[in-house]
Every structure is written in C-alpha cells, then in structure tokens.
Amino acid sequence: MAKVEGDSKEPLNEQAVANIYASMKNEITQIYSKTTELEMEVSEHSLVINAISPLDPSRRCYRMIGGVLVERTIREVMPAVQRNKEGLEEVIARLTEALERKKKDVAEFETKYKIKIRKGDGEMKDESGKKEGNAQGVLVGPAGAT
C-alpha cells in the first residue's frame, strides 16, 4: 500500500490510529505510576536510614527478607538498605528517561496523524454557558412528609 502525502487518506484507518495512540498514552500512565511507586519506596528507605543511622551499629534490628523477618545488626542492615535505595534511584532515572522518549514519540505521533485532544469533560454543555456541577447527593424531604 503506497502512502500519499498531502492526501486525506492515512496508511492506517482511524480506529487503528486511535488504538495505537491510546496504547501509547496507557504506557505513559503506567510509567508514571511505576515511578511514583518507586519514589515512595525510596522515601521509605530514607526514613529507615535516618532512623537507624544514629543508633549503635551492634544493636539488633529486624529486616523483612522475602516475607521472613530476619534478625540482624544495624551494621549488617545499613549497607543493604543503602544499596537498595541507590538501585531504586537508578531505576527511577531510567524510567524517567523512558518517559521522556515515550512523550516525544506521542508528540510525533500526534503531529503525524494530526491528533488534537479536546479538553473538558462536558462541564460547559449548558446553552447559557453556566458551569454545571457533577456532584451527586441524596435529596431528603421534610421529616414526616408522605
């Protein structure tokens, strides 16, 4: 199938383009959520490091390894927690780079197929232009009314 530039026909039908675009946006959302999850883990590691660093290195502490609580000393646990934190930070950096690449790909896809996103979710549907709220509530009549 030959591509014709300047023609209104695209090599893919509209539904295929929409599906590809939706999957690209979904990948971006997944990367965001994974990055946020890992950032939460990094903050938890920082809290642990800050809590145990002023303590005596020979003091006992407990660490969860594969669902099993293991008794160790702070001297043994501290390097492992720091390594885990550093590893998580590296993964976050790689995910951030992947996110930037994916955003670029989406922008190129949008320009290639002339995709325009309509902002708004129907809040301005009223002819008078008044903003309609979408709050859901319960209507209660006067007590004792039948």
Side-chain angles (χ1 to χ4, degrees), residues 1 9 17 19-20 23 31 38 40 44 53 55 60-61 69 72 77 105 108-109 118 120 126-127 137-139 141:
M1 183 187 287
K9 290 187 177 188
V17 170
N19 289 341
I20 292 170
S23 70
I31 293 172
L38 293 176
M40 293 291 288
E44 290 174 5
S53 58
L55 302 176
R60 283 187 305 179
C61 70
L69 197 59
R72 300 275 190 235
V77 169
D105 292 345
E108 290 172 4
F109 194 81
R118 292 185 185 146
D126 204 16
E127 285 81 26
V138 178
L139 294 176

Side-chain angles (χ1 to χ4, degrees), residues 56-122:
D56 179 27
S58 62
R59 186 172 173 173
R60 283 187 305 179
C61 70
Y62 296 90
R63 181 174 180 218
M64 183 74 72
I65 300 176
V68 178
L69 197 59
V70 180
E71 183 178 340
R72 300 275 190 235
T73 63
I74 291 176
R75 182 180 299 111
E76 296 170 333
V77 169
M78 183 66 88
V81 174
Q82 288 175 335
R83 274 193 311 272
N84 287 349
K85 181 183 172 195
E86 291 166 1
L88 288 170
E89 289 170 342
E90 289 176 17
V91 171
I92 289 171
R94 280 190 252 130
L95 282 174
T96 303
E97 292 171 6
L99 181 65
E100 293 305 316
R101 284 193 306 269
K102 188 58 74 172
K103 282 182 180 180
K104 251 186 234 177
D105 292 345
V106 167
E108 290 172 4
F109 194 81
E110 286 175 348
T111 56
K112 180 179 179 180
Y113 291 103
K114 299 173 180 73
I115 297 173
K116 296 192 180 181
I117 305 300
R118 292 185 185 146
K119 300 284 181 185
D121 54 349

